[in-house]
Amino acid sequence: MLVGQGALGFSRDAFPDRAAAEDWAARACLAARQCTIRIGSKRFLGTAAEALRRWAIDQGTLPRAEGGTQVAPLQRLAPLLEDPDCALPLAVLLPDDLAALRRRRLTALQSPAAMLAEQAALAAALEQFRDFHLPALDDPFTEIAPDGLCVLDEPSCAQAIGWAGQKSEAWGRLVALVLTTGAPIPALCATCCGHADARSGRLHLPGGLVLTPPPDLFPDPGNPPEAPLLPGLQEAGTVEEGMREIGNRLQRPGLRPEALQLTALVGALNQGQHLDEILLLAGVTEAAQ
């Protein structure tokens, strides 16, 4: 049986003809060889599911006393591991596949925040797995996908903050806040200056999320408490329009605002934060979890 045909095939869609199926079979078999990992006498295929499974086990379960939910990451991520694209050898996992995976997960979860947190876990897992087992492979999260999401590298983050600051002080503060805290953009845009407490270093967002951003991102203490933290960014479509400009300057046309949050969430996971903490940071409520 050709790879890509039948229930055990890698392909997600039917092939138009036999030649297309044979071409995919050849590429998939080559990818399987490239992604076969040997540890002693054992061999296993490097897939997103394998990377995520190992990463979730390493995370462990964060106790309630430390702010966790006591739901094991492996249990929480089980539906994502079962997605057909997660069974692909990593050598053939493309940004288009990730975009399709996100559409399916968003439909299943009915929560953009939960989907984004899942994707952050997947991106962090793939990065760790590739660095350890398959360092020669490209990271599919670094290239912008058809849905406008990707994970930005550090130079791109610095450029985005700089260019946003050239647009306006509010724009510079927004991009910097998202990239340094991972907070949801709608919540930041709904925040008032009175929600910021510079002396304690805390920023209280609507909904209960509390951030500790860098001191230079707090508003001027002379601003009225009811004034928006990010003036001029409350109108519908304003953030999306500005992000299109930033995406073009970063040579990532179509870049969505959520890409900034995804980048920050991946960074937080790589720095040791737990999935439970990332879910809260992404804006997932307990009911949605």
Side-chain angles (χ1 to χ4, degrees):
M1 179 176 67
L2 291 173
V3 176
Q5 292 182 338
L8 299 179
F10 286 135
S11 178
R12 283 79 65 214
D13 300 307
F15 293 109
D17 51 43
R18 183 178 181 84
E22 290 175 343
D23 176 68
W24 170 253
R27 291 189 292 117
C29 287
L30 175 61
R33 288 197 298 271
Q34 291 175 323
C35 296
T36 297
I37 297 165
R38 297 171 176 82
I39 299 180
S41 60
K42 296 183 179 180
R43 296 185 182 186
F44 62 92
L45 183 62
T47 64
E50 183 65 24
L52 194 59
R53 184 183 69 81
R54 290 168 178 262
W55 180 89
I57 292 172
D58 288 343
Q59 274 253 306
T61 303
L62 194 63
R64 289 190 185 277
E66 298 178 16
T69 60
Q70 294 185 318
V71 178
L74 189 60
Q75 177 184 343
R76 189 188 295 284
L77 296 171
L80 176 60
L81 270 72
E82 295 170 358
D83 187 277
D85 280 344
C86 284
L88 291 170
L90 289 179
V92 293
L93 183 64
L94 300 175
D96 294 53
D97 300 318
L98 293 175
L101 182 154
R102 285 190 282 267
R103 287 195 298 271
R104 292 191 292 271
R105 295 304 300 146
L106 182 57
T107 299
L109 292 167
Q110 294 295 301
S111 167
M115 183 275 290
L116 207 62
E118 273 194 355
Q119 288 296 296
L122 179 58
L126 291 188
E127 182 176 339
Q128 178 178 297
F129 189 84
R130 286 171 42 258
D131 287 348
F132 193 75
H133 293 292
L134 300 166
L137 289 186
D138 293 332
D139 185 350
F141 273 96
T142 59
E143 184 180 343
I144 189 164
D147 61 357
L149 293 186
C150 67
V151 175
L152 300 174
D153 56 20
E154 289 189 13
S156 296
C157 290
Q159 288 176 323
I161 293 172
W163 287 330
Q166 293 174 10
K167 286 176 63 64
S168 71
E169 181 181 348
W171 257 106
R173 179 176 286 131
L174 171 64
V175 174
L177 278 171
V178 178
L179 287 174
T180 56
T181 69
I185 292 175
L188 287 170
C189 290
T191 300
C192 296
C193 292
H195 295 145
D197 185 349
R199 282 185 293 184
S200 67
R202 295 181 178 179
L203 180 63
H204 298 261
L205 271 57
L209 183 62
V210 180
L211 308 177
T212 54
D216 60 340
L217 297 181
F218 281 84
D220 189 313
N223 289 349
E226 68 276 8
L229 176 69
L230 303 169
L233 302 184
Q234 286 69 42
E235 293 185 15
T238 302
V239 172
E240 286 75 8
E241 182 179 349
M243 280 302 301
R244 281 195 292 270
E245 179 182 338
I246 293 174
N248 289 335
R249 298 191 71 172
L250 290 174
Q251 298 183 347
R252 290 177 172 86
L255 187 71
R256 296 276 307 157
E258 293 81 6
L260 300 179
Q261 189 183 13
L262 176 61
T263 297
L265 295 176
V266 174
L269 286 169
N270 286 338
Q271 291 167 13
Q273 290 202 37
H274 192 273
L275 180 59
D276 281 339
E277 298 169 313
I278 294 304
L279 284 161
L280 293 175
L281 192 56
V284 182
T285 64
E286 182 68 28
Q289 293 179 36

